[in-house]
Amino acid sequence: MSEVAVVGFAQAPNVRRTPGTTNGVEMLVPVFHRLFAETGLSKQDIGFWCSGSSDYLAGRAFSFIAAVDAIGAFPPIMESHVEMDAAWALYEAWVKIRTGEAETALVYGFGKSSAGELRRIMAMQMDPYLVTPLWPDSVGVAGLQARLGIEQGLWTEADMAEVAAASRRAALSNPDAQLSGETTAEELLKQPYLADPLRAHDCAPITDGAAAIILASGDKARELSERPAWITGFEHRVDTPMLGARDLTTSPSTIAAAKAAGVDGVQVAELHAPFTHQDILLRQALGLGEEVRVNPSGGVLAGHPMFAAGLIRIGAAAAEIRAGRADKALAHATSGPLLQQNLVCVLEGR
Amino acid sequence: MVTISSEPLSAPLNVGFDYTRSLGPVLGRFATGLRGHTIAGVRGSDGRVLVPPAEYDPVTAEKLTEFVDVGTEGVVQTWSWNAQPLDGQPLSHAFAWALVKLDGADTGLLHAVDAGSPDKMSTGMRVRVRWAAEPVGSIRDIECFEPLDAEPVERQPVVGDDVTMLTTPIHLRYDHTASPEESRYLRGLAEGKLLGQRCPACDKVYIPPRGSCPTDGVPTEDEVELPDHGVVTTFCVVNVPFLGQRIKPPYVAAYILLDGADIPFLHLVLGCDAAEVRMGMRVRAQWRPRDQWGTTLENIDHFEPSGEPDAPYESYAQHL
Ligand SMILES: [Zn+2]
């Protein structure tokens, strides 16, 4: 089976609101052009295209078909889509290359979260029989998980604020970040609750954005990149959708995916934790020690474009490898309420 | 060039749909129970009583069949404070979201607790069900939970045939934004102009113009003002009535290629018998009265035959 590596990554600036359409075309066209400029490839060189996005977020049916316009899909292309974060689209593309059906793939994700009421739209991902009819908003539900950990002594509100402050400091060196700056946990804790026990800084911001990654197989990757980020482990697992029937203070599916992917010895990790307590929860579940740099990009607390944010974690982890700042990196993506479904991608430089 | 503001146009977009789902034996039993003021759980593979009941075990995926009725009081396992409820949530005033472990259950049920203020909430506090005024067989038959010291509200259960279906109305609000290119086109229409744009790569003229040429993946650029006449490339005769139809069938919906454009758009061809419409027929826009114009292609009510000779097939064969 072919080896597969990340050879290119680009993202649109993470912003609170873009004037563009919900089909992402205005954000994707410049991202594709930057990727092609970086790799020297053109659209004809791409063997497989795969995207992640959501019609509920876009407020229109088949928004991902409208997004295909951004590609310029002529002559006809081989294309697929997942109604999930594009990290899972990358998984599909990885399988396509591994099985020899393509030599290169371009994976993209986009989300204009500002178009609707994000907290409310996220209720659509819950159990449609017993949970969605209550319209539980994503922030309120996250507060349930945060309090469980606080009351069990797994983290404190101060620990959570420290995660937010660290994210914003790290994001100072990320030109695409939405939130960055010098602040302290002490300052952040003076803010009122948004959904007790969560404050605004505990929640990833509402972000419009898009991102894309180019994958290539063995020799092609070596030809395109001086130091490709080789994918050496790639696994995803899911927990029950019944929130009350699983231990919300840990993430069994993350642990299982990490074990299968082989994360020992990672030097840097990009975690998809939309709430500060989930950052701590994931570090605990993955057993990441002090020696591991976590979220050098600032993570999703610095910008959280829905359906692209997980893919961006893989792009940011790959950037650490490709720049020679790490030899082994972990990227994590999540989907569903309270870290229900989790993906772990391990990248290595040689 | 027409001088038009470049700020994209946007408008509210409200979408709604009543999702109707069949419940099956497990959720049907739970729903029927709620309507009659009882709460059914189911015993999982590990012996835990799961509430709400699961059709299949969350860990082993084993089919679950042993129902266990649980109490209507329970304990708050965790909670968060919802100071500003959103549309559709159980209460319109501030409340707590909570996982409530009912007496006899081993798992938490997600619902609202009407406690008044966050200082009245604590993990481990006991709460009881407040039933809804008009139970129908839904999780919303539990209006919310309330602390035990709240004044009880008298509500009547409903007994009847088993509940087999669930209807969940979904209403979502968006701010829909047109692309910059579409916005120019729509503003042009408000002035009675048909503004297309040319793709810099393939030279094709698009109306409406596009944020990306679907063939080349680049935005259309140079503006081209097009005339309000052209040719029918292909068409269909609508004979079937449908909800929201504005014209009495039969009538013709046609692809119309404006002179100078490369991409046809869909519009109506009226003003002649449907049987007379043909490929290559030359047509002209019939505009509504100017005081009815807006940023919409509806400013053109329909197209009518112009009476000119038909266009030869070769002239539009590449635009079908
Ligand atoms: Zn073109």
Tab-separated table of all heavy atoms in Angstrom, chain B residues 84-116:
chain	number	residue	atom	x	y	z
B	84	GLN	N	-30.053	32.899	28.826
B	84	GLN	CA	-30.853	33.470	27.745
B	84	GLN	C	-31.320	32.353	26.817
B	84	GLN	O	-30.666	32.043	25.822
B	84	GLN	CB	-30.043	34.506	26.970
B	84	GLN	CG	-29.851	35.779	27.769
B	84	GLN	CD	-28.883	36.725	27.112
B	84	GLN	OE1	-27.817	36.317	26.650
B	84	GLN	NE2	-29.244	37.995	27.068
B	85	PRO	N	-32.460	31.746	27.148
B	85	PRO	CA	-32.941	30.618	26.351
B	85	PRO	C	-33.153	30.990	24.887
B	85	PRO	O	-33.479	32.130	24.557
B	85	PRO	CB	-34.267	30.250	27.016
B	85	PRO	CG	-34.146	30.752	28.406
B	85	PRO	CD	-33.324	32.011	28.297
B	86	LEU	N	-32.957	30.000	24.036
B	86	LEU	CA	-33.144	30.171	22.598
B	86	LEU	C	-34.510	29.620	22.196
B	86	LEU	O	-35.140	28.855	22.942
B	86	LEU	CB	-32.053	29.416	21.848
B	86	LEU	CG	-30.608	29.769	22.224
B	86	LEU	CD1	-29.631	28.863	21.478
B	86	LEU	CD2	-30.316	31.232	21.924
B	87	ASP	N	-34.952	29.996	21.006
B	87	ASP	CA	-36.234	29.514	20.486
B	87	ASP	C	-36.326	28.001	20.570
B	87	ASP	O	-35.394	27.299	20.192
B	87	ASP	CB	-36.375	29.880	18.998
B	87	ASP	CG	-36.688	31.343	18.810
B	87	ASP	OD1	-36.892	32.037	19.824
B	87	ASP	OD2	-36.729	31.778	17.646
B	88	GLY	N	-37.466	27.526	21.048
B	88	GLY	CA	-37.728	26.095	21.027
B	88	GLY	C	-37.298	25.349	22.268
B	88	GLY	O	-37.658	24.187	22.452
B	89	GLN	N	-36.509	25.998	23.128
B	89	GLN	CA	-36.053	25.306	24.336
B	89	GLN	C	-37.211	25.145	25.324
B	89	GLN	O	-38.244	25.800	25.183
B	89	GLN	CB	-34.855	26.062	24.939
B	89	GLN	CG	-33.636	25.963	24.003
B	89	GLN	CD	-32.392	26.664	24.526
B	89	GLN	OE1	-32.457	27.530	25.399
B	89	GLN	NE2	-31.245	26.296	23.955
B	90	PRO	N	-37.073	24.252	26.299
B	90	PRO	CA	-38.224	23.906	27.146
B	90	PRO	C	-38.858	25.086	27.879
B	90	PRO	O	-40.071	25.096	28.098
B	90	PRO	CB	-37.627	22.899	28.136
B	90	PRO	CG	-36.497	22.267	27.385
B	90	PRO	CD	-35.912	23.377	26.552
B	91	LEU	N	-38.078	26.073	28.277
B	91	LEU	CA	-38.625	27.222	29.002
B	91	LEU	C	-38.152	28.500	28.334
B	91	LEU	O	-37.069	28.543	27.758
B	91	LEU	CB	-38.150	27.198	30.467
B	91	LEU	CG	-38.607	25.979	31.283
B	91	LEU	CD1	-37.810	25.877	32.582
B	91	LEU	CD2	-40.107	26.059	31.578
B	92	SER	N	-38.971	29.530	28.401
B	92	SER	CA	-38.580	30.790	27.765
B	92	SER	C	-37.883	31.722	28.752
B	92	SER	O	-37.345	32.746	28.353
B	92	SER	CB	-39.799	31.473	27.143
B	92	SER	OG	-40.792	31.647	28.129
B	93	HIS	N	-37.883	31.361	30.042
B	93	HIS	CA	-37.095	32.143	31.010
B	93	HIS	C	-35.858	31.331	31.410
B	93	HIS	O	-35.782	30.143	31.111
B	93	HIS	CB	-37.939	32.499	32.235
B	93	HIS	CG	-38.565	31.311	32.916
B	93	HIS	ND1	-39.831	30.870	32.615
B	93	HIS	CD2	-38.080	30.452	33.844
B	93	HIS	CE1	-40.110	29.805	33.357
B	93	HIS	NE2	-39.067	29.523	34.098
B	94	ALA	N	-34.918	31.989	32.074
B	94	ALA	CA	-33.638	31.351	32.397
B	94	ALA	C	-33.860	30.044	33.148
B	94	ALA	O	-34.737	29.940	34.013
B	94	ALA	CB	-32.790	32.304	33.235
B	95	PHE	N	-33.079	29.041	32.796
B	95	PHE	CA	-33.205	27.723	33.448
B	95	PHE	C	-31.867	27.026	33.416
B	95	PHE	O	-30.902	27.534	32.825
B	95	PHE	CB	-34.290	26.877	32.750
B	95	PHE	CG	-33.964	26.481	31.332
B	95	PHE	CD1	-33.262	25.305	31.059
B	95	PHE	CD2	-34.369	27.275	30.252
B	95	PHE	CE1	-32.969	24.944	29.745
B	95	PHE	CE2	-34.079	26.912	28.942
B	95	PHE	CZ	-33.369	25.745	28.686
B	96	ALA	N	-31.813	25.861	34.058
B	96	ALA	CA	-30.588	25.054	34.013
B	96	ALA	C	-30.788	23.878	33.079
B	96	ALA	O	-31.847	23.239	33.092
B	96	ALA	CB	-30.238	24.549	35.412
B	97	TRP	N	-29.768	23.607	32.247
B	97	TRP	CA	-29.697	22.296	31.606
B	97	TRP	C	-29.126	21.333	32.639
B	97	TRP	O	-28.243	21.727	33.415
B	97	TRP	CB	-28.755	22.315	30.402
B	97	TRP	CG	-29.268	23.042	29.205
B	97	TRP	CD1	-28.760	24.190	28.666
B	97	TRP	CD2	-30.371	22.663	28.363
B	97	TRP	NE1	-29.481	24.549	27.548
B	97	TRP	CE2	-30.469	23.632	27.350
B	97	TRP	CE3	-31.282	21.607	28.384
B	97	TRP	CZ2	-31.442	23.577	26.346
B	97	TRP	CZ3	-32.252	21.544	27.405
B	97	TRP	CH2	-32.339	22.520	26.396
B	98	ALA	N	-29.626	20.114	32.645
B	98	ALA	CA	-29.102	19.159	33.623
B	98	ALA	C	-29.174	17.746	33.083
B	98	ALA	O	-29.995	17.445	32.205
B	98	ALA	CB	-29.892	19.252	34.927
B	99	LEU	N	-28.294	16.897	33.600
B	99	LEU	CA	-28.477	15.461	33.446
B	99	LEU	C	-29.121	15.000	34.745
B	99	LEU	O	-28.565	15.195	35.834
B	99	LEU	CB	-27.131	14.758	33.226
B	99	LEU	CG	-26.493	14.956	31.847
B	99	LEU	CD1	-25.107	14.314	31.801
B	99	LEU	CD2	-27.379	14.373	30.741
B	100	VAL	N	-30.324	14.428	34.644
B	100	VAL	CA	-31.080	14.005	35.818
B	100	VAL	C	-31.119	12.477	35.846
B	100	VAL	O	-31.584	11.845	34.891
B	100	VAL	CB	-32.519	14.561	35.775
B	100	VAL	CG1	-33.328	14.040	36.967
B	100	VAL	CG2	-32.503	16.090	35.751
B	101	LYS	N	-30.610	11.917	36.955
B	101	LYS	CA	-30.674	10.461	37.139
B	101	LYS	C	-31.938	10.158	37.933
B	101	LYS	O	-32.026	10.480	39.124
B	101	LYS	CB	-29.430	9.956	37.876
B	101	LYS	CG	-29.358	8.433	37.941
B	101	LYS	CD	-27.924	7.948	38.161
B	101	LYS	CE	-27.469	8.116	39.600
B	101	LYS	NZ	-27.865	6.975	40.439
B	102	LEU	N	-32.923	9.602	37.233
B	102	LEU	CA	-34.199	9.317	37.883
B	102	LEU	C	-34.050	8.140	38.845
B	102	LEU	O	-33.206	7.263	38.641
B	102	LEU	CB	-35.255	9.012	36.813
B	102	LEU	CG	-35.626	10.238	35.956
B	102	LEU	CD1	-36.364	9.828	34.693
B	102	LEU	CD2	-36.451	11.230	36.770
B	103	ASP	N	-34.897	8.107	39.876
B	103	ASP	CA	-34.826	7.018	40.858
B	103	ASP	C	-35.073	5.690	40.143
B	103	ASP	O	-36.091	5.528	39.456
B	103	ASP	CB	-35.878	7.229	41.957
B	103	ASP	CG	-35.597	8.505	42.761
B	103	ASP	OD1	-34.447	8.999	42.691
B	103	ASP	OD2	-36.522	9.009	43.422
B	104	GLY	N	-34.137	4.788	40.273
B	104	GLY	CA	-34.245	3.491	39.603
B	104	GLY	C	-33.472	3.428	38.305
B	104	GLY	O	-33.320	2.354	37.725
B	105	ALA	N	-32.985	4.571	37.831
B	105	ALA	CA	-32.185	4.608	36.599
B	105	ALA	C	-30.703	4.670	36.949
B	105	ALA	O	-30.330	5.032	38.071
B	105	ALA	CB	-32.567	5.821	35.759
B	106	ASP	N	-29.864	4.312	35.994
B	106	ASP	CA	-28.416	4.393	36.201
B	106	ASP	C	-27.756	5.420	35.296
B	106	ASP	O	-26.547	5.604	35.358
B	106	ASP	CB	-27.783	3.015	35.954
B	106	ASP	CG	-28.234	2.004	36.997
B	106	ASP	OD1	-27.936	2.215	38.188
B	106	ASP	OD2	-28.921	1.037	36.633
B	107	THR	N	-28.530	6.066	34.423
B	107	THR	CA	-27.956	7.064	33.518
B	107	THR	C	-28.743	8.360	33.615
B	107	THR	O	-29.891	8.368	34.060
B	107	THR	CB	-27.987	6.577	32.056
B	107	THR	OG1	-29.360	6.400	31.676
B	107	THR	CG2	-27.236	5.265	31.881
B	108	GLY	N	-28.111	9.442	33.164
B	108	GLY	CA	-28.734	10.759	33.257
B	108	GLY	C	-29.563	11.081	32.018
B	108	GLY	O	-29.185	10.752	30.901
B	109	LEU	N	-30.690	11.737	32.253
B	109	LEU	CA	-31.568	12.192	31.174
B	109	LEU	C	-31.338	13.691	31.001
B	109	LEU	O	-31.395	14.455	31.980
B	109	LEU	CB	-33.022	11.913	31.577
B	109	LEU	CG	-34.138	12.511	30.721
B	109	LEU	CD1	-34.264	11.736	29.412
B	109	LEU	CD2	-35.469	12.486	31.474
B	110	LEU	N	-31.094	14.128	29.771
B	110	LEU	CA	-30.889	15.557	29.524
B	110	LEU	C	-32.233	16.272	29.495
B	110	LEU	O	-33.143	15.885	28.745
B	110	LEU	CB	-30.171	15.768	28.180
B	110	LEU	CG	-29.968	17.239	27.780
B	110	LEU	CD1	-28.975	17.927	28.714
B	110	LEU	CD2	-29.511	17.352	26.343
B	111	HIS	N	-32.370	17.307	30.328
B	111	HIS	CA	-33.590	18.113	30.292
B	111	HIS	C	-33.337	19.441	31.013
B	111	HIS	O	-32.219	19.710	31.442
B	111	HIS	CB	-34.776	17.357	30.905
B	111	HIS	CG	-36.055	17.564	30.128
B	111	HIS	ND1	-36.638	18.802	29.989
B	111	HIS	CD2	-36.828	16.698	29.447
B	111	HIS	CE1	-37.741	18.678	29.244
B	111	HIS	NE2	-37.875	17.405	28.891
B	112	ALA	N	-34.388	20.237	31.116
B	112	ALA	CA	-34.300	21.539	31.767
B	112	ALA	C	-34.758	21.436	33.219
B	112	ALA	O	-35.645	20.647	33.534
B	112	ALA	CB	-35.184	22.539	31.019
B	113	VAL	N	-34.144	22.250	34.085
B	113	VAL	CA	-34.607	22.374	35.470
B	113	VAL	C	-35.010	23.829	35.691
B	113	VAL	O	-34.213	24.745	35.464
B	113	VAL	CB	-33.511	21.964	36.482
B	113	VAL	CG1	-34.016	22.163	37.911
B	113	VAL	CG2	-33.092	20.519	36.262
B	114	ASP	N	-36.250	24.015	36.128
B	114	ASP	CA	-36.769	25.367	36.362
B	114	ASP	C	-36.482	25.753	37.810
B	114	ASP	O	-37.315	25.557	38.692
B	114	ASP	CB	-38.282	25.389	36.084
B	114	ASP	CG	-38.832	26.811	36.075
B	114	ASP	OD1	-38.025	27.771	36.173
B	114	ASP	OD2	-40.067	26.963	35.960
B	115	ALA	N	-35.292	26.306	38.037
B	115	ALA	CA	-34.861	26.588	39.412
B	115	ALA	C	-34.923	28.074	39.747
B	115	ALA	O	-34.736	28.450	40.902
B	115	ALA	CB	-33.439	26.081	39.623
B	116	GLY	N	-35.129	28.921	38.755
B	116	GLY	CA	-35.214	30.358	39.030
B	116	GLY	C	-33.891	31.076	38.937
B	116	GLY	O	-33.775	32.095	38.262
